[in-house]
Amino acid sequence: MSGKADPRPAGEGTTSRTRLDRGRGALGPALELVHTGRAPTRAVLTAELGVTRATAGAVAAELEALGLIRVDARPGAAAGSQGRPSHRLEIAEEGPVALAAQVHTDGFRAALVGLGGRIVATAPGCETVDADPAKVLGSVVDAGARLLRETGLRCVGAGLAVPSAVAEPEGLALNPLHLAWPVGAPVRRIFAERVREAGITGPAFAGNDVNLAALAEHRHGAGRGARDLLCVATGHRGVGGALVLDGRLHTGSSGLALEVGHLTVNPAGRPCHCGSRGCLDVEADPLAFLTAAGLDPGPEVSLLQHARDLIRDHYDTPSVRVAAETLIDRLGLGLAGLVNILNPDRIILGGLHRALHDADPDRLRAVVAGRSLWGQSGGVPILACSLDHNSLVGAAELAWQPVLDDPLAALAA
């Protein structure tokens, strides 16, 4: 409960508190509905929660008193709608935020992310990553702490996205090969220590960057509304995958599920760091694209940006088109295998794969449909990820989850 005085008459306040007591267990589900955009009005919130209008009103009022949402004082109806107007529900613009951090091959970035997946502020990204994870994580947390001081916003916790499988329950980065970090680096513990040393309140979490991108897209982007969502993406190096089932990440027994980068898509292909050959990880990432196009990647821009620029600006160049088609075919082969195993109802693609999809979506769909049983039976929608910085937003989702589970307990802590 908030500590604000109740200006209403005694009887009315008692009635409202009784309604809230009955709906206290609905605070978290109500906040999640507003957070994910599924309850834009109090009427929709009432229907989604399955409670009375009065209880939904008391729940919304308490979330507003906690500084999490804003309830429009003057209900209105959309043009052409019928029935009683309803109060609109929105995220409180000056509400608390989560500190989100992301580390990748070509640098790191920190941001403050509010409810609704809204990026409130970002710090300039660093373009070099030290081989010592403690040094890197200390720097990115310092950048986030500066943002918190500058904005004066309350922080509910912190989340970190890394380009590595993160083993649970220890929070170890098992394969940060493209970062030159030691295998098994305890990234969650180091990150949590740096967060506490910076005076930032709330719990700290860490996860794989593609897992977190999928979570963000499912809640706020191209994956919204999917039940079984498959996400495949390539960032600066390598290929990652993630699966969201009924709104929750499927991470397996120890956090290592969906290592799709080691599906073989070209048996006679390039050697992979896992010991095999022709894995998706080395056949469908930016370096593979630039190599296929006959280009020597320079240090001027990141591999990902270089590859994207070529597809956007020079797709009609024969060498670029052939390289893109080669990667599309290999990506499609990998996706088809995943469709056969997982039977998702939607696929979303991020990073360079998003650019390849946008360049020739029909070719990619044809490869997937031609190679997968379920694709042939009707097709699985394949979409591009729609959020900018979705791994950052997903890192923030980790920190927001305790608040979504129990707003009163999390904010009291």
Side-chain angles (χ1 to χ4, degrees):
M1 292 292 294
S2 64
K4 295 181 178 180
D6 192 341
R8 294 164 294 186
E12 183 181 346
T14 300
T15 302
S16 179
R17 282 192 295 273
T18 300
R19 290 168 181 156
L20 178 59
D21 288 341
R22 292 173 180 169
R24 189 174 299 278
L27 282 174
L31 181 60
E32 184 165 345
L33 287 167
V34 180
H35 172 61
T36 56
R38 290 178 291 155
T41 68
R42 206 167 72 182
V44 176
L45 182 68
T46 301
E48 289 288 336
L49 292 177
V51 298
T52 66
R53 191 162 57 238
T55 297
V59 168
E62 180 64 12
L63 292 175
E64 184 174 37
L66 290 169
L68 297 171
I69 72 170
R70 187 174 69 84
V71 182
D72 192 345
R74 292 176 295 180
S81 63
Q82 298 179 351
R84 184 175 179 177
S86 182
H87 298 269
R88 292 200 61 80
L89 306 177
E90 298 175 347
I91 300 300
E93 290 188 3
E94 299 302 318
V97 294
L99 168 60
Q102 181 181 10
V103 179
H104 53 73
T105 308
D106 294 316
F108 61 77
R109 181 178 293 274
L112 304 182
V113 183
L115 283 167
R118 182 174 60 94
I119 296 179
V120 176
T122 59
C126 173
E127 296 182 357
T128 59
V129 176
D130 194 89
D132 180 1
K135 183 176 179 180
V136 177
L137 298 182
S139 296
V140 74
V141 169
D142 287 344
R146 285 194 297 273
L147 289 176
L148 288 169
R149 289 193 297 270
E150 291 166 1
T151 60
L153 296 172
R154 178 180 181 182
C155 184
V156 299
L160 169 68
V162 292
S164 168
V166 178
E168 298 297 342
E170 298 89 355
L172 308 179
L174 291 189
N175 58 342
L177 299 174
H178 302 301
L179 292 179
W181 286 1
V183 173
V187 291
R188 188 170 62 208
R189 176 179 61 77
I190 296 171
F191 182 61
E193 289 172 353
R194 297 300 179 267
V195 166
R196 287 194 299 270
E197 289 168 2
I200 298 171
T201 58
F205 305 89
N208 169 261
D209 53 1
V210 179
N211 276 350
L212 299 182
L215 182 61
E217 292 284 347
H218 186 268
R219 291 182 175 180
H220 309 294
R224 185 182 290 175
R227 190 187 71 175
D228 299 331
L229 175 69
L230 172 64
C231 175
V232 176
T234 176
H236 298 264
R237 290 292 304 275
V239 175
L243 185 66
V244 179
L245 300 177
D246 292 324
R248 299 288 178 179
L249 276 172
H250 174 71
T251 56
S253 60
S254 56
L256 307 179
L258 270 292
E259 278 291 309
V260 305
H262 299 292
L263 289 172
T264 300
V265 294
N266 183 18
R270 299 177 180 85
C272 181
H273 51 77
C274 72
S276 185
R277 276 188 174 272
C279 294
L280 201 60
D281 213 42
V282 293
E283 297 286 342
D285 76 344
L287 181 59
F289 172 77
L290 295 172
T291 302
L295 298 171
D296 183 16
E300 295 81 12
V301 295
S302 73
L303 295 175
L304 177 59
Q305 190 59 51
H306 191 181
R308 280 172 167 168
D309 291 346
L310 283 171
I311 293 172
R312 184 189 65 232
D313 301 331
H314 303 283
Y315 194 71
D316 290 335
T317 302
S319 60
V320 173
R321 181 183 288 273
V322 169
E325 290 176 346
T326 298
L327 259 72
I328 288 171
D329 291 348
R330 290 172 183 167
L331 172 61
L333 184 61
L335 292 177
L338 291 167
V339 167
N340 285 333
I341 296 169
L342 301 174
N343 188 26
D345 60 4
R346 192 180 310 174
I347 299 170
I348 58 174
L349 302 174
L352 178 62
H353 294 164
R354 173 180 175 177
L356 292 170
H357 168 272
D358 291 344
D360 198 343
D362 292 338
R363 184 183 185 97
L364 181 60
R365 292 190 188 102
V367 174
V368 175
R371 292 280 191 160
S372 61
L373 176 63
W374 308 122
Q376 292 172 357
S377 68
V380 180
I382 304 175
L383 306 174
C385 290
S386 63
L387 299 177
D388 292 329
H389 308 300
N390 51 18
S391 292
L392 270 176
V393 175
E397 291 295 318
L398 293 179
W400 275 114
Q401 193 59 53
V403 182
L404 297 175
D405 291 338
D406 190 340
L408 284 173
L411 295 181

